[in-house]
Amino acid sequence: MTDPSAESQAGRGRWVAILTGAISILIGVLYLALIVVLDSRGPLQPPPPEALVDSALIRPEAGAASSAASPAAVPPPA
């Protein structure tokens, strides 16, 4: 004779396995949809040359470690 609690544990384990499988399939389908959307945007293009210029070369005071070399940091003559 089988134990009724063992049968209920087996039934519960079966539903947990079905639920876990369904969640796994859902994650797979969502991942596939994300890849399709990202691939449909076309090939990646390199950034324009203006985007590759270092901002420290354009504004030296913004990229300098010390502000002593900056003309704005020099006090006016007394």
Side-chain angles (χ1 to χ4, degrees), residues 41-77:
R41 298 187 308 166
L44 291 177
Q45 299 293 323
E50 299 86 29
L52 300 175
V53 176
D54 189 11
S55 63
L57 296 176
I58 297 172
R59 297 181 300 149
E61 64 273 359
S66 67
S67 61
S70 165
V74 177

Side-chain angles (χ1 to χ4, degrees), residues 6-68:
E7 289 179 13
S8 67
Q9 287 290 335
R12 182 174 180 209
R14 180 174 179 239
W15 283 110
V16 168
I18 290 172
L19 181 64
T20 305
I23 291 172
S24 172
I25 291 172
L26 179 67
I27 290 172
V29 169
L30 290 175
Y31 176 76
L32 180 63
L34 177 67
I35 295 302
V36 167
V37 167
L38 292 177
D39 280 346
S40 69
R41 298 187 308 166
L44 291 177
Q45 299 293 323
E50 299 86 29
L52 300 175
V53 176
D54 189 11
S55 63
L57 296 176
I58 297 172
R59 297 181 300 149
E61 64 273 359
S66 67
S67 61

